[in-house]
PDB file of all heavy atoms in Angstrom:
ATOM      1  N   HIS D  43     -28.924  37.966 -24.565  1.00 86.00           N
ATOM      2  CA  HIS D  43     -29.246  37.270 -23.334  1.00 86.00           C
ATOM      3  C   HIS D  43     -28.693  38.124 -22.209  1.00 86.00           C
ATOM      4  O   HIS D  43     -27.554  37.978 -21.800  1.00 86.00           O
ATOM      5  CB  HIS D  43     -28.534  35.914 -23.415  1.00 86.00           C
ATOM      6  CG  HIS D  43     -28.943  34.940 -22.374  1.00 86.00           C
ATOM      7  ND1 HIS D  43     -30.243  34.672 -22.053  1.00 86.00           N
ATOM      8  CD2 HIS D  43     -28.205  34.134 -21.585  1.00 86.00           C
ATOM      9  CE1 HIS D  43     -30.282  33.742 -21.115  1.00 86.00           C
ATOM     10  NE2 HIS D  43     -29.058  33.405 -20.811  1.00 86.00           N
ATOM     11  N   PRO D  52     -29.077  31.034 -17.368  1.00 93.00           N
ATOM     12  CA  PRO D  52     -28.423  29.812 -17.833  1.00 93.00           C
ATOM     13  C   PRO D  52     -27.065  30.173 -18.436  1.00 93.00           C
ATOM     14  O   PRO D  52     -26.959  31.139 -19.191  1.00 93.00           O
ATOM     15  CB  PRO D  52     -29.376  29.287 -18.913  1.00 93.00           C
ATOM     16  CG  PRO D  52     -30.708  29.886 -18.598  1.00 93.00           C
ATOM     17  CD  PRO D  52     -30.387  31.236 -18.016  1.00 93.00           C
ATOM     18  N   HIS D 198     -24.714  15.712 -27.261  1.00 98.00           N
ATOM     19  CA  HIS D 198     -24.850  15.624 -28.721  1.00 98.00           C
ATOM     20  C   HIS D 198     -23.570  16.093 -29.409  1.00 98.00           C
ATOM     21  O   HIS D 198     -23.071  15.444 -30.333  1.00 98.00           O
ATOM     22  CB  HIS D 198     -26.048  16.476 -29.173  1.00 98.00           C
ATOM     23  CG  HIS D 198     -26.354  16.396 -30.633  1.00 98.00           C
ATOM     24  ND1 HIS D 198     -27.149  17.307 -31.286  1.00 98.00           N
ATOM     25  CD2 HIS D 198     -25.944  15.517 -31.592  1.00 98.00           C
ATOM     26  CE1 HIS D 198     -27.232  16.996 -32.560  1.00 98.00           C
ATOM     27  NE2 HIS D 198     -26.513  15.922 -32.775  1.00 98.00           N
ATOM     28  N   SER D 199     -23.036  17.212 -28.941  1.00 97.00           N
ATOM     29  CA  SER D 199     -21.833  17.745 -29.561  1.00 97.00           C
ATOM     30  C   SER D 199     -20.635  16.825 -29.348  1.00 97.00           C
ATOM     31  O   SER D 199     -19.815  16.622 -30.244  1.00 97.00           O
ATOM     32  CB  SER D 199     -21.531  19.137 -28.994  1.00 97.00           C
ATOM     33  OG  SER D 199     -20.378  19.674 -29.591  1.00 97.00           O
ATOM     34  N   THR D 242     -32.902   7.029 -36.210  1.00 95.00           N
ATOM     35  CA  THR D 242     -33.779   8.131 -35.825  1.00 95.00           C
ATOM     36  C   THR D 242     -35.087   7.594 -35.264  1.00 95.00           C
ATOM     37  O   THR D 242     -35.752   6.774 -35.909  1.00 95.00           O
ATOM     38  CB  THR D 242     -34.092   9.012 -37.051  1.00 95.00           C
ATOM     39  OG1 THR D 242     -32.901   9.649 -37.474  1.00 95.00           O
ATOM     40  CG2 THR D 242     -35.124  10.086 -36.703  1.00 95.00           C
ATOM     41  N   LYS D 258     -47.424  22.352 -29.269  1.00 77.00           N
ATOM     42  CA  LYS D 258     -46.400  21.757 -28.410  1.00 77.00           C
ATOM     43  C   LYS D 258     -47.000  20.604 -27.610  1.00 77.00           C
ATOM     44  O   LYS D 258     -48.186  20.589 -27.309  1.00 77.00           O
ATOM     45  CB  LYS D 258     -45.852  22.813 -27.440  1.00 77.00           C
ATOM     46  CG  LYS D 258     -45.441  24.154 -28.080  1.00 77.00           C
ATOM     47  CD  LYS D 258     -44.012  24.200 -28.532  1.00 77.00           C
ATOM     48  CE  LYS D 258     -43.702  25.439 -29.358  1.00 77.00           C
ATOM     49  NZ  LYS D 258     -42.349  25.469 -29.908  1.00 77.00           N
ATOM     50  N   THR D 277     -34.741   4.768 -39.907  1.00 90.00           N
ATOM     51  CA  THR D 277     -35.518   5.950 -39.546  1.00 90.00           C
ATOM     52  C   THR D 277     -36.927   5.509 -39.174  1.00 90.00           C
ATOM     53  O   THR D 277     -37.648   4.964 -40.003  1.00 90.00           O
ATOM     54  CB  THR D 277     -35.564   6.926 -40.738  1.00 90.00           C
ATOM     55  OG1 THR D 277     -34.226   7.262 -41.090  1.00 90.00           O
ATOM     56  CG2 THR D 277     -36.322   8.192 -40.389  1.00 90.00           C
ATOM     57  N   GLN D 308     -34.555  -3.528 -45.567  1.00 69.00           N
ATOM     58  CA  GLN D 308     -34.669  -2.660 -46.738  1.00 69.00           C
ATOM     59  C   GLN D 308     -35.038  -3.479 -47.973  1.00 69.00           C
ATOM     60  O   GLN D 308     -34.731  -4.669 -48.068  1.00 69.00           O
ATOM     61  CB  GLN D 308     -33.305  -1.985 -46.968  1.00 69.00           C
ATOM     62  CG  GLN D 308     -33.392  -0.717 -47.790  1.00 69.00           C
ATOM     63  CD  GLN D 308     -32.008  -0.215 -48.170  1.00 69.00           C
ATOM     64  OE1 GLN D 308     -31.091  -0.997 -48.357  1.00 69.00           O
ATOM     65  NE2 GLN D 308     -31.886   1.106 -48.289  1.00 69.00           N
TER      66      GLN D 308
ATOM     67  N   ALA E 146     -39.312  23.130 -29.271  1.00 89.00           N
ATOM     68  CA  ALA E 146     -38.614  24.354 -28.879  1.00 89.00           C
ATOM     69  C   ALA E 146     -39.547  25.294 -28.141  1.00 89.00           C
ATOM     70  O   ALA E 146     -40.545  25.746 -28.706  1.00 89.00           O
ATOM     71  CB  ALA E 146     -38.043  25.058 -30.112  1.00 89.00           C
ATOM     72  N   GLN E 150     -34.778  31.670 -27.030  1.00 91.00           N
ATOM     73  CA  GLN E 150     -33.590  31.480 -26.203  1.00 91.00           C
ATOM     74  C   GLN E 150     -33.119  30.027 -26.225  1.00 91.00           C
ATOM     75  O   GLN E 150     -31.934  29.748 -26.366  1.00 91.00           O
ATOM     76  CB  GLN E 150     -33.982  31.887 -24.780  1.00 91.00           C
ATOM     77  CG  GLN E 150     -32.846  32.065 -23.852  1.00 91.00           C
ATOM     78  CD  GLN E 150     -33.360  32.554 -22.515  1.00 91.00           C
ATOM     79  OE1 GLN E 150     -34.375  32.061 -22.006  1.00 91.00           O
ATOM     80  NE2 GLN E 150     -32.667  33.522 -21.944  1.00 91.00           N
ATOM     81  N   TYR E 154     -29.439  28.562 -27.532  1.00 94.00           N
ATOM     82  CA  TYR E 154     -28.595  27.795 -26.622  1.00 94.00           C
ATOM     83  C   TYR E 154     -28.406  26.350 -27.053  1.00 94.00           C
ATOM     84  O   TYR E 154     -27.342  25.776 -26.873  1.00 94.00           O
ATOM     85  CB  TYR E 154     -29.228  27.760 -25.228  1.00 94.00           C
ATOM     86  CG  TYR E 154     -28.650  28.741 -24.259  1.00 94.00           C
ATOM     87  CD1 TYR E 154     -29.474  29.449 -23.407  1.00 94.00           C
ATOM     88  CD2 TYR E 154     -27.277  28.962 -24.169  1.00 94.00           C
ATOM     89  CE1 TYR E 154     -28.962  30.348 -22.488  1.00 94.00           C
ATOM     90  CE2 TYR E 154     -26.759  29.870 -23.261  1.00 94.00           C
ATOM     91  CZ  TYR E 154     -27.596  30.558 -22.430  1.00 94.00           C
ATOM     92  OH  TYR E 154     -27.095  31.448 -21.539  1.00 94.00           O
ATOM     93  N   THR E 211     -26.819  16.114 -37.224  1.00 97.00           N
ATOM     94  CA  THR E 211     -25.632  15.273 -37.359  1.00 97.00           C
ATOM     95  C   THR E 211     -25.605  14.602 -38.736  1.00 97.00           C
ATOM     96  O   THR E 211     -26.581  13.979 -39.146  1.00 97.00           O
ATOM     97  CB  THR E 211     -25.613  14.184 -36.267  1.00 97.00           C
ATOM     98  OG1 THR E 211     -25.907  14.807 -35.025  1.00 97.00           O
ATOM     99  CG2 THR E 211     -24.274  13.500 -36.210  1.00 97.00           C
ATOM    100  N   GLN E 229     -31.425  15.630 -39.931  1.00 95.00           N
ATOM    101  CA  GLN E 229     -30.092  15.049 -39.784  1.00 95.00           C
ATOM    102  C   GLN E 229     -29.768  14.117 -40.953  1.00 95.00           C
ATOM    103  O   GLN E 229     -30.646  13.485 -41.515  1.00 95.00           O
ATOM    104  CB  GLN E 229     -30.008  14.283 -38.466  1.00 95.00           C
ATOM    105  CG  GLN E 229     -30.903  13.049 -38.367  1.00 95.00           C
ATOM    106  CD  GLN E 229     -32.299  13.353 -37.874  1.00 95.00           C
ATOM    107  OE1 GLN E 229     -32.785  14.488 -37.902  1.00 95.00           O
ATOM    108  NE2 GLN E 229     -32.986  12.323 -37.432  1.00 95.00           N
ATOM    109  N   ASN E 283     -33.970   8.792 -45.955  1.00 82.00           N
ATOM    110  CA  ASN E 283     -33.212   7.640 -46.440  1.00 82.00           C
ATOM    111  C   ASN E 283     -33.356   7.389 -47.938  1.00 82.00           C
ATOM    112  O   ASN E 283     -33.123   6.282 -48.387  1.00 82.00           O
ATOM    113  CB  ASN E 283     -33.649   6.359 -45.691  1.00 82.00           C
ATOM    114  CG  ASN E 283     -33.229   6.391 -44.234  1.00 82.00           C
ATOM    115  OD1 ASN E 283     -33.542   7.338 -43.522  1.00 82.00           O
ATOM    116  ND2 ASN E 283     -32.497   5.392 -43.807  1.00 82.00           N
ATOM    117  N   ARG E 302     -39.303  -4.661 -46.877  1.00 54.00           N
ATOM    118  CA  ARG E 302     -39.797  -6.019 -46.975  1.00 54.00           C
ATOM    119  C   ARG E 302     -40.318  -6.482 -45.636  1.00 54.00           C
ATOM    120  O   ARG E 302     -39.675  -6.279 -44.610  1.00 54.00           O
ATOM    121  CB  ARG E 302     -38.648  -6.944 -47.406  1.00 54.00           C
ATOM    122  CG  ARG E 302     -38.242  -6.700 -48.841  1.00 54.00           C
ATOM    123  CD  ARG E 302     -37.007  -7.509 -49.176  1.00 54.00           C
ATOM    124  NE  ARG E 302     -35.822  -6.929 -48.543  1.00 54.00           N
ATOM    125  CZ  ARG E 302     -34.622  -7.512 -48.512  1.00 54.00           C
ATOM    126  NH1 ARG E 302     -34.446  -8.695 -49.076  1.00 54.00           N
ATOM    127  NH2 ARG E 302     -33.603  -6.933 -47.934  1.00 54.00           N
TER     128      ARG E 302
END
Side-chain angles (χ1 to χ4, degrees):
Chain D
H43 191 47
H198 184 196
S199 181
T242 294
K258 311 270 171 185
T277 302
Q308 201 189 32
Chain E
Q150 193 176 43
Y154 260 138
T211 313
Q229 66 273 19
N283 291 54
R302 290 173 287 171

